[in-house]
Amino acid sequence: MNNIKKAGILSTLFMGLGQFYNKEWFKGIIYALIEVIFIVNALNGSLYMTFWGLITLGETKGVKGDHSINLLINSLMAIIVLGLFVLVYFINIKDAKEARKRIEAGEKAESIKGTLVRLNTTYFPHVMMAPGALLILFFTFLPILFTTLIAFTNFAAPYHLPPGNLVDWVGFENFVKLVTLPGWKETFFGVFGWTLVWTVATTVLNYFGGLGLALLTNSKDIKFKKLWRTLFIVPYAIPAFISLLTFRLILSGPGPLNSTLLQFGWISEKIPFLTDPTLAKIVVIVVYMWAGSPYWMALMSGILTNIDASLYEASDIDGASKWQQFTKITVPMVLFQTAPLLIMTFAHNFNNFGMIYLLNSGNPANPVYKQAGSTDILISWIYKMTLEKQWYGMAAAVTIVIFLIVATFAVIGFTQTKSFKEEDMI
């Protein structure tokens, strides 16, 4: 057995032994301490409690009994720590073998100073990124994992809400309920269909609304361009929640718009802008177009000024019409540069909770739906299920559906768009 393999085997048997064999005492002590701490915790029952809590979610009911959700969170955190320990374990083996290889090549065993210098040079990017990676593990990955697992439980009021009650694993029961159980099925497919309509309509209308405004404000014949651009950007400059709450007040039944129209005799009865299901859907789309188009106008104004004028001159010589110039030159050039943003906007609109909730709170109520209104999209429905009804398991199942849809669309969009395939086009 050669010495390199021997160092690796020693570190496999116990962390740090390979480093001690290489006479790298500092690293050996650090690795050995990590394994000692792990073994002490394992012997104290922490490792058993981790898997027991994850598998059973508690066995004793009552206020002083097991808290299923705390057990689940603690188990997930312990598993992440266990994963980090396994990672360090393999790094320890690799380090022992590489150190031995250097020694066999004639180098001296690494001192404390040498270890610190190597960390500061060879592994500097890794050292700097490690804290951020740890934070992502516990504050991003852990909540995602927790939400995913909750979707497979019956965590909901009133009978499975800790403390006092236990939560159980139910497999795919929540997903099956969403698409088969009366009440849930109508709500899920109804809200899901409206979410798709809302997302596509707002994304397309805002995009081409912004393009239209940009073309108008960049037109050669228009005067006071800066004034027009300033006026059109005002809706975007005002905080969205102020705009939406103002629209909510103006468009309400006894609001100033209905009062004015009645006063002038233009209508005989109040228009249900926010209380008629169909009209309310049209209103939320139009209001969002009013608030969102200026962003695209500002973005596309810059893009339009960068399109080579010779393209239009050449098309004029070839006899192209203005419409042909728009569809064959302007739109492709703008779309090429804005495609990634368009994909991100689609994902944002799919989950645009603020727009729906601040303007109309998902109303009017729909008697066929379970805890959802006629203008609720999936994300606002989740909000109501969690904060108003505490149906966490079902809400988590819907969350996973949203994630799968948005992630699939984003991956396909980003991989297929020409903005990433033809980076040298412009």
Side-chain angles (χ1 to χ4, degrees):
M1 180 185 299
N2 62 43
N3 292 332
I4 297 173
K5 190 177 289 184
K6 191 174 181 180
I9 291 174
L10 285 171
S11 276
T12 304
L13 293 174
F14 196 92
M15 287 174 63
L17 280 184
Q19 284 74 16
F20 289 137
Y21 174 68
N22 295 332
K23 296 183 180 178
E24 294 182 343
W25 311 111
F26 176 67
K27 286 194 294 185
I29 291 171
I30 297 294
Y31 281 126
L33 277 175
I34 292 173
E35 179 144 353
V36 167
I37 292 171
F38 175 79
I39 291 173
V40 169
N41 277 282
L43 293 176
N44 283 341
S46 298
L47 196 60
Y48 169 77
M49 286 299 295
T50 295
F51 292 102
W52 174 83
L54 185 62
I55 293 170
T56 65
L57 295 180
E59 295 175 343
T60 307
K61 292 179 70 174
V63 177
K64 294 184 179 179
D66 297 323
H67 194 297
S68 300
I69 300 306
N70 286 349
L71 284 172
L72 179 59
I73 294 175
N74 291 337
S75 296
L76 292 177
M77 292 178 69
I79 286 173
I80 291 176
V81 173
L82 180 62
L84 291 173
F85 171 78
V86 172
L87 177 65
V88 174
Y89 181 81
F90 283 105
I91 291 174
N92 141 74
I93 298 171
K94 183 182 177 185
D95 174 74
K97 293 170 72 175
E98 289 183 348
R100 195 68 212 178
K101 193 182 293 181
R102 290 195 299 271
I103 293 171
E104 295 292 319
E107 295 184 21
K108 291 184 178 178
E110 203 168 65
S111 62
I112 297 176
K113 183 180 178 182
T115 301
L116 295 176
V117 168
R118 197 153 63 86
L119 284 174
N120 194 37
T121 53
T122 309
Y123 295 106
F124 180 76
H126 302 81
V127 172
M128 296 304 294
M129 289 190 294
L134 283 175
L135 290 175
I136 289 173
L137 267 180
F138 285 99
F139 293 103
T140 301
F141 181 71
L142 177 62
I144 292 174
L145 192 57
F146 173 72
T147 303
T148 304
L149 292 180
I150 285 296
F152 297 94
T153 69
N154 57 4
F155 182 26
Y159 304 114
H160 298 283
L161 194 66
N165 297 299
L166 293 176
V167 176
D168 303 309
W169 294 111
V170 295
F172 288 90
E173 186 178 307
N174 292 332
F175 297 92
V176 175
K177 279 183 182 178
L178 273 180
V179 295
T180 60
L181 200 65
W184 284 107
K185 180 175 66 174
E186 290 78 7
T187 310
F188 174 70
F189 286 112
V191 175
F192 178 62
W194 161 238
T195 303
L196 286 179
V197 172
W198 153 264
T199 305
V200 174
T202 52
T203 303
V204 172
L205 290 176
N206 279 350
Y207 187 83
F208 284 100
L211 178 59
L213 289 174
L215 288 170
L216 288 172
T217 53
N218 280 281
S219 172
K220 292 178 182 177
D221 300 327
I222 196 169
K223 294 181 180 178
F224 311 114
K225 292 182 179 179
K226 290 183 179 177
L227 174 63
W228 288 112
R229 285 172 186 158
T230 304
L231 285 175
F232 287 135
I233 203 68
V234 167
Y236 185 70
I238 297 173
F241 77 94
I242 293 178
S243 300
L244 296 174
L245 292 177
T246 304
F247 270 109
R248 182 172 183 150
L249 175 66
I250 292 173
L251 297 171
S252 63
L257 182 56
N258 269 323
S259 300
T260 303
L261 293 175
L262 284 170
Q263 189 176 358
F264 282 98
W266 292 342
I267 57 174
S268 57
E269 57 183 21
K270 294 174 182 176
I271 301 174
F273 291 109
L274 300 177
T275 51
D276 178 78
T278 304
L279 191 54
K281 289 178 179 177
I282 296 172
V283 166
V284 294
I285 290 175
V286 172
V287 170
Y288 187 45
M289 187 180 174
W290 180 86
S293 294
Y295 164 76
W296 287 107
M297 181 203 71
L299 181 70
M300 291 176 182
S301 293
I303 296 172
L304 289 175
T305 56
N306 288 324
I307 296 178
D308 193 345
S310 63
L311 293 172
Y312 293 102
E313 293 169 1
S315 64
D316 282 332
I317 294 171
D318 291 339
S321 63
K322 292 296 181 186
W323 176 251
Q324 288 174 319
Q325 288 180 343
F326 174 73
T327 56
K328 301 298 181 183
I329 299 175
T330 305
V331 171
M333 296 296 283
V334 170
L335 193 58
F336 176 80
Q337 298 188 51
T338 56
L341 282 175
L342 191 60
I343 295 167
M344 292 170 65
T345 301
F346 181 91
H348 170 73
N349 289 340
F350 201 91
N351 291 313
N352 198 336
F353 168 80
M355 180 67 207
I356 295 294
Y357 203 78
L358 289 174
L359 182 62
N360 204 23
S361 300
N363 290 318
N366 191 327
V368 179
Y369 290 173
K370 286 183 75 71
Q371 202 59 30
S374 296
T375 58
D376 265 320
I377 56 176
L378 289 174
I379 193 69
S380 59
W381 184 35
I382 289 173
Y383 174 83
K384 291 178 177 178
M385 282 197 286
T386 51
L387 292 189
E388 294 179 7
K389 287 294 181 181
Q390 298 181 309
W391 297 336
Y392 299 108
M394 295 298 287
V398 178
T399 302
I400 290 178
V401 172
I402 292 178
F403 170 76
L404 292 175
I405 293 170
V406 173
T408 303
F409 176 81
V411 169
I412 293 174
F414 279 123
T415 54
Q416 297 301 315
T417 179
K418 290 183 178 180
S419 300
F420 291 93
K421 288 183 175 179
E422 302 173 12
E423 295 180 355
D424 299 328
M425 178 178 171
I426 293 180

